[in-house]
Amino acid sequence: MKAPKDIIEKAKADGSVDRASLLLSAAYLLNTEASNIVEEAGDILRRSGLLLGEIKQVQTHFTNAANRYFRLFAEMIGESGQTSAYFEDLEAFDRHFREWAKLEEKQQSNNA
């Protein structure tokens, strides 16, 4: 269902559209960061032989859901022309977040 034009114009005029856009952008950055951190933890647990049983199932479900989410998200930002801006923001956010959380640099995967 499409919103009537007058409602859209009112939302633009009162700043609702811009605010919603900023909130959604922040949510996408946070979701991406959370997914990356969970995957990094999963890689460590897998290498250590600790990714077993139910936690392995949960990790697999998480990975599959995240892959679907980010595939759809990539299509959306690709259509908007904001792909490079998003990844620049994500890279900066990741650096600042890891510094704030006192996480060392990402460990490189030893899957080679």
Side-chain angles (χ1 to χ4, degrees):
M1 183 161 117
K2 192 172 179 179
K5 189 174 181 174
D6 60 323
I7 292 175
I8 294 171
E9 293 305 319
K10 182 180 177 191
K12 285 181 180 179
D14 73 7
S16 295
V17 170
D18 289 337
R19 179 68 177 164
S21 179
L22 288 172
L23 290 168
L24 290 171
S25 293
Y28 289 131
L29 285 173
L30 291 169
N31 282 333
T32 303
E33 188 67 23
S35 178
N36 289 343
I37 290 170
V38 169
E39 286 296 315
E40 187 178 339
D43 290 344
I44 292 167
L45 293 172
R46 192 176 296 105
R47 281 195 307 271
S48 301
L50 297 171
L51 198 59
L52 303 168
E54 190 175 351
I55 196 164
K56 183 176 183 178
Q57 290 176 341
V58 170
Q59 178 70 23
T60 299
H61 290 301
F62 175 85
T63 299
N64 292 338
N67 287 342
R68 284 191 309 273
Y69 172 86
F70 291 114
R71 186 174 48 251
L72 294 172
F73 178 67
E75 290 173 13
M76 183 184 73
I77 63 171
E79 289 174 8
S80 73
Q82 296 297 312
T83 304
S84 62
Y86 172 77
F87 285 107
E88 289 170 8
D89 288 348
L90 178 61
E91 195 172 299
F93 179 79
D94 181 64
R95 276 194 312 275
H96 292 296
F97 176 78
R98 286 177 176 276
E99 182 180 312
W100 173 83
K102 297 178 178 43
L103 296 173
E104 299 297 321
E105 287 186 34
K106 286 186 205 179
Q107 293 183 357
Q108 296 301 314
S109 178
N110 294 333
N111 295 340

